[in-house]
Amino acid sequence: MLRGDDVVELQRLLTGLGFPMGQIDGIHGQQTTDSLVDFQLNAGLLPDGVCGQETIQVLERLGTRFGRPDEITHLRERQRFLKQSAELHGYKIFLAETGGLDAVIASLRRALTDTGAEVLTSHHPEWGNHAEQANNFDADLCIGIEIRNEDPTICHFLGDHFESPTGKQLGSQICGRLVPFFGSIEQVGMRLPLLRETRMPALLLRVDDVEALVSGHQAMGAAIAMAIREFVEVGLD
């Protein structure tokens, strides 16, 4: 069985060949197995989900013909937000929370749908469940919000070998928009389930000031929606 860096290399090769499994995180989970099976089917190999010698040889041979996976991922994410419009028509956005933030999610949903986005919301205690729903929805962007007893942060995916370019850039823009509500907010890269198990760019907002969150949820929803609109209008760097 592949482990650690071997799994990372497998994920990098599969991603580079057009069989993404979410994030490159070195974890050989179900999404990596599904991507491997898809590759094997397309390559005329036995689709057993096992990375045997024959599969490795074909992966390595084909992998040399394409660009680096991080470059390909950057290109994919850039193409995802190519419309360069201040409106969000045609974009699918998934919103999630783990409890107690229904009003906040509802306000953000209204702000996003008002500008044309198709929005699906989810209320469940497990982030892995949210990630699965976001993948099934085929969202362009996933945003989660939770209450944590720590300084406010907005998190994007950062692994040992990969960082989400959309998560980093959009997260920075949302941070700027949320300063009036929290005074300061830190942007950090992490490998949380919502961030690593989604197949689209994802962000997780963690806040501790429940009063500010609840009392200002309408203005906060509008601020986050504005940051997303600005990002879509300009596009990924």
Side-chain angles (χ1 to χ4, degrees), residues 124-138:
H124 193 278
E126 299 294 333
W127 286 118
N129 180 277
H130 292 301
E132 182 178 0
Q133 290 189 62
N135 291 336
N136 291 337
F137 182 51
D138 194 24

Side-chain angles (χ1 to χ4, degrees), residues 23 77 80-81 140-142 164 166-167 198-203:
Q23 309 296 355
E77 292 195 8
R80 188 186 287 270
F81 298 98
D140 294 300
L141 177 67
C142 174
S164 170
T166 295
T198 45
R199 291 195 294 267
M200 74 292 303
L203 291 165

Side-chain angles (χ1 to χ4, degrees), residues 162-223:
F162 175 78
E163 182 174 32
S164 170
T166 295
K168 183 178 181 181
Q169 184 174 325
L170 177 56
S172 176
Q173 291 179 237
I174 292 177
C175 277
R177 286 284 177 179
L178 293 183
V179 166
F181 300 94
F182 301 107
S184 66
I185 181 167
E186 183 182 6
Q187 183 180 9
V188 295
M190 302 187 75
R191 297 174 61 171
L192 302 170
L194 182 71
L195 308 177
R196 73 168 187 263
E197 295 176 16
T198 45
R199 291 195 294 267
M200 74 292 303
L203 291 165
L204 178 59
L205 173 62
R206 295 173 142 184
V207 296
D208 64 342
D209 191 340
V210 180
E211 183 177 346
L213 191 63
V214 174
S215 63
H217 63 84
Q218 291 182 331
M220 196 177 306

Side-chain angles (χ1 to χ4, degrees), residues 7-8 12 14 29 31-32 34 58 63 71 75 87 113 117 127 129 152 158-159 177 202 213-214 218 222 232 237:
V7 176
V8 168
R12 287 169 63 87
L14 287 170
Q31 291 188 73
T32 299
D34 291 344
V58 176
E71 294 174 344
L75 178 61
E87 299 300 314
T113 54
W127 286 118
N129 180 277
L158 173 63
R177 286 284 177 179
L213 191 63
V214 174
Q218 291 182 331
V232 168
D237 291 341

Side-chain angles (χ1 to χ4, degrees), residues 47-151:
D48 57 3
V50 176
C51 196
Q53 191 60 39
E54 185 178 8
T55 296
I56 291 173
Q57 289 175 351
V58 176
L59 275 168
E60 291 179 342
R61 184 173 72 250
L62 293 176
T64 59
R65 302 180 186 176
F66 296 85
R68 286 169 35 204
D70 55 343
E71 294 174 344
I72 292 170
T73 300
H74 189 283
L75 178 61
R76 278 205 192 99
E77 292 195 8
R78 189 173 184 181
Q79 289 175 328
R80 188 186 287 270
F81 298 98
L82 265 183
K83 298 178 183 179
Q84 294 186 334
S85 167
E87 299 300 314
L88 298 178
H89 295 287
Y91 288 105
K92 300 172 71 173
I93 300 177
F94 185 85
L95 305 176
E97 61 92 23
T98 52
L101 298 176
D102 299 49
V104 178
I105 292 294
S107 292
L108 181 53
R109 176 176 184 166
R110 282 193 296 272
L112 290 169
T113 54
D114 284 348
T115 193
E118 180 182 354
V119 181
L120 179 66
T121 61
S122 176
H123 309 271
H124 193 278
E126 299 294 333
W127 286 118
N129 180 277
H130 292 301
E132 182 178 0
Q133 290 189 62
N135 291 336
N136 291 337
F137 182 51
D138 194 24
D140 294 300
L141 177 67
C142 174
I143 296 179
I145 305 176
E146 70 174 349
I147 299 171
R148 298 275 295 190
N149 187 25
E150 57 187 41
D151 292 338

